[in-house]
Amino acid sequence: GAVVSQHPSRVICKSGTSVKIECRSLDFQATTMFWYRQFPKKSLMLMATSNEGSKATYEQGVEKDKFLINHASLTLSTLTVTSAHPEDSSFYICSARAVSGRGEQYFGPGTRLTVT
Amino acid sequence: DAKTTQPPSMDCAEGRAANLPCNHSTISGNEYVYWYRQIHSQGPQYIIHGLKNNETNEMASLIITEDRKSSTLILPHATLRDTAVYYCIVRPIYNQGGKLIFGQGTELSVKP
């Protein structure tokens, strides 16, 4: 099956610093990638949708200047959490939709961010 | 908002069939029913999807009612490794703007 990777899997950063999370589709091309966040014991919440070569579309209530998304190629999207604060600590999960086929969507393993 | 309703939790004995229900009474004609599961601290895993016919693959079976207002995911012989949160999602498959919106899902506990 199609594989989506995320790097890093875990990151701890200090309050006020920025953190970049990478999402790669390893064996397929993805025109669209999605970023979710998940708090403990809660469901996944869609943050934004990014299309290769264009600006991301953010869901209501998600600050685009805080969560910078870049989708520079058909296999790579990055999420940068700027000026991170403890309340940004969460599990961030990316997902990629294949160009080919019927638009199947595959998920990465997630990145655990802890802001101290 | 999620367009599906699922029970928050279920238990199943190891080796028995797990039947997970989902209500999607407002589903429209061009929307498919998808099932994903999420094992603790991992990304969601695709299980199966269908439109109106019953579907089966190596992981599970999907039974969709004739009126398409509900469906049941069946894990025929549940194992301890099937313990996870199971999400039922509806979305149009050919709409490139379609998003997977997750509801609360059903937490399935498979017990020895």
Side-chain angles (χ1 to χ4, degrees), chain A residues 31-32 34 36 38 41-44 46 49 59 91 93 97-98 102-110 112, chain B residues 32 34 36 38 41-46 49 87 91 93-105 107:
Chain A
T31 51
T32 305
F34 305 85
Y36 295 80
Q38 185 176 33
K41 303 281 188 185
K42 299 293 185 182
S43 185
L44 286 78
L46 180 65
T49 302
E59 296 297 306
F91 192 49
I93 305 169
R97 177 182 289 154
R102 296 190 296 172
E104 294 89 344
Q105 191 166 330
Y106 305 96
F107 286 81
R112 176 77 58 192
Chain B
Y32 282 61
Y34 280 78
Y36 282 78
Q38 185 181 27
S41 293
Q42 296 183 23
Q45 176 189 22
Y46 167 82
H49 75 278
Y87 296 98
R91 81 165 175 101
I93 191 169
Y94 288 113
N95 178 356
Q96 287 301 313
K99 301 174 270 194
L100 285 176
I101 303 299
F102 287 76
Q104 295 308 306
E107 186 167 10

Side-chain angles (χ1 to χ4, degrees), chain A:
Chain A
V3 177
V4 176
S5 71
Q6 283 185 240
H7 178 78
S9 58
R10 287 180 178 272
V11 58
I12 301 173
C13 72
K14 292 188 176 181
S15 188
T17 61
S18 296
V19 175
K20 180 185 285 188
I21 303 169
E22 289 187 351
C23 175
R24 292 181 186 274
S25 56
L26 296 186
D27 51 2
F28 66 98
Q29 293 185 324
T31 51
T32 305
M33 289 187 172
F34 305 85
W35 286 95
Y36 295 80
R37 68 188 297 183
Q38 185 176 33
F39 293 109
K41 303 281 188 185
K42 299 293 185 182
S43 185
L44 286 78
M45 184 193 80
L46 180 65
M47 299 174 66
T49 302
S50 75
N51 292 294
E52 186 261 339
S54 62
K55 289 184 178 180
T57 302
Y58 290 80
E59 296 297 306
Q60 190 173 7
V62 178
E63 299 176 61
K64 61 179 171 65
D65 294 330
K66 180 165 187 61
F67 299 100
L68 301 179
I69 292 172
N70 183 276
H71 190 163
S73 76
L74 287 172
T75 59
L76 173 64
S77 176
T78 60
L79 168 68
T80 302
V81 183
T82 62
S83 187
H85 291 284
E87 57 266 29
D88 298 323
S89 298
S90 189
F91 192 49
Y92 291 87
I93 305 169
C94 75
S95 179
R97 177 182 289 154
V99 171
S100 60
R102 296 190 296 172
E104 294 89 344
Q105 191 166 330
Y106 305 96
F107 286 81
T111 296
R112 176 77 58 192
L113 170 64
T114 303
V115 185
T116 60

Side-chain angles (χ1 to χ4, degrees), chain B:
Chain B
D1 291 335
K3 299 167 68 173
T4 62
T5 305
Q6 299 176 252
S9 63
M10 292 181 64
D11 289 342
C12 177
E14 187 178 19
R16 305 297 293 269
N19 297 285
L20 293 95
C22 179
N23 285 321
H24 31 80
S25 58
T26 60
I27 192 170
S28 62
N30 68 342
E31 288 181 318
Y32 282 61
V33 179
Y34 280 78
W35 284 83
Y36 282 78
R37 73 179 182 184
Q38 185 181 27
I39 296 170
H40 182 64
S41 293
Q42 296 183 23
Q45 176 189 22
Y46 167 82
I47 301 173
I48 200 167
H49 75 278
L51 182 62
K52 54 184 178 180
N53 297 321
N54 297 338
E55 301 287 345
T56 295
N57 63 20
E58 65 278 3
M59 289 183 70
S61 295
L62 174 60
I63 309 297
I64 302 174
T65 57
E66 194 168 338
D67 63 7
R68 302 186 68 238
K69 292 186 177 182
S70 65
S71 60
T72 301
L73 179 75
I74 301 172
L75 307 179
H77 306 286
T79 70
L80 300 179
R81 285 182 289 185
D82 291 322
T83 292
V85 179
Y86 288 76
Y87 296 98
C88 168
I89 304 168
V90 298
R91 81 165 175 101
I93 191 169
Y94 288 113
N95 178 356
Q96 287 301 313
K99 301 174 270 194
L100 285 176
I101 303 299
F102 287 76
Q104 295 308 306
T106 295
E107 186 167 10
L108 175 68
S109 296
V110 181
K111 300 180 185 296

